[in-house]
Amino acid sequence: GLRRQGTNPTNCRTLKLCRTFSVTDSTMSWLAKGCPNLHYLDLSDCDFPDSALSYLFQGCKRLRVLTLSGCTGLTDVALCALTPDAGSRLTGLHLAGCSNVTDKGLCSVAFSCPQLRDIDLTRVPLITCEGLTAIAKHCRCLKAVNVSSLTQAKDIDPKSRVPRVGSKGISALGRYCGLLESLQCNG
């Protein structure tokens, strides 16, 4: 596996571990120490404890894009480990299908990732307008937002043009994100 490749830091900038194995705390610790120059990490459909991401955030300070789509065990605890120091360079965060993420996790992302340009919240049913508004207020560089298929969203507004997301959340994106080029809210 990865650990057999050595212990010296590498210049690896892109790593895709999607659907490959269960990621442990020790694996993530090794990854953070061994790949400090990592810019893009895809952990889609991997199973790992929330604590594993804290190692990543401590060691991979140059991380630009983090894909956690399909990580159904991911909770707010993992996203709250994202500090402003680690999140300051993050421009892309993909959480599609992370069904245990709530507004608390989104608020943490909002405060820690001011340079965020792309966020995918497809099929993240526990977020409300509160989380989306926090993202809009604090991540003003957003260019692309996907909130599609929020079929179980908590704050369904029957008068909203986008009832699965809520008019307040959509309005906040329009009000605070002047660079927004793409908003997907299908479903």
Side-chain angles (χ1 to χ4, degrees):
L2 285 173
R3 298 188 74 179
R4 292 187 202 125
Q5 299 299 321
T7 57
N8 295 329
T10 69
N11 285 324
C12 180
R13 293 203 187 332
T14 300
L15 186 58
K16 294 182 180 184
L17 299 176
C18 46
R19 293 180 220 101
T20 53
F21 56 86
S22 180
V23 179
T24 64
D25 284 346
S26 62
T27 302
M28 199 65 82
S29 176
W30 175 87
L31 178 66
K33 290 175 188 171
C35 302
N37 297 316
L38 202 58
H39 286 195
Y40 176 89
L41 177 61
D42 186 345
L43 292 171
S44 295
D45 298 313
C46 286
D47 182 33
F48 51 86
D50 284 329
S51 57
L53 285 186
S54 65
Y55 293 104
L56 176 73
F57 297 145
Q58 289 171 19
C60 297
K61 306 248 190 237
R62 295 184 176 143
L63 196 60
R64 300 231 185 331
V65 177
L66 179 59
T67 301
L68 300 170
S69 299
C71 296
T72 56
L74 183 75
T75 71
D76 295 335
V77 172
L79 295 179
C80 289
L82 182 59
T83 64
D85 184 39
S88 66
R89 290 192 174 110
L90 203 64
T91 59
L93 181 61
H94 306 140
L95 299 172
C98 294
S99 55
N100 291 311
V101 171
T102 71
D103 289 338
K104 182 179 180 183
L106 275 190
C107 287
S108 180
V109 167
F111 292 119
S112 300
C113 306
Q115 299 303 315
L116 205 59
R117 291 188 177 111
D118 175 23
I119 188 163
D120 185 356
L121 300 170
T122 305
R123 297 179 329 277
V124 184
L126 300 178
I127 64 168
T128 69
C129 288
E130 180 185 337
L132 198 56
T133 298
I135 289 288
K137 282 183 177 179
H138 299 283
C139 304
R140 294 183 178 213
C141 296
L142 278 173
K143 290 186 174 187
V145 177
N146 190 340
V147 289
S148 296
S149 299
L150 294 175
T151 56
Q152 300 169 13
K154 288 183 181 178
D155 63 344
I156 294 176
D157 177 356
K159 296 178 184 175
S160 173
R161 291 178 185 256
V162 189
R164 297 181 199 281
V165 178
S167 59
K168 290 179 186 176
I170 296 299
S171 295
L173 290 170
R175 185 178 320 118
Y176 298 110
C177 302
L179 301 175
L180 192 63
E181 296 172 357
S182 173
L183 172 59
Q184 294 181 18
C185 41
N186 306 317

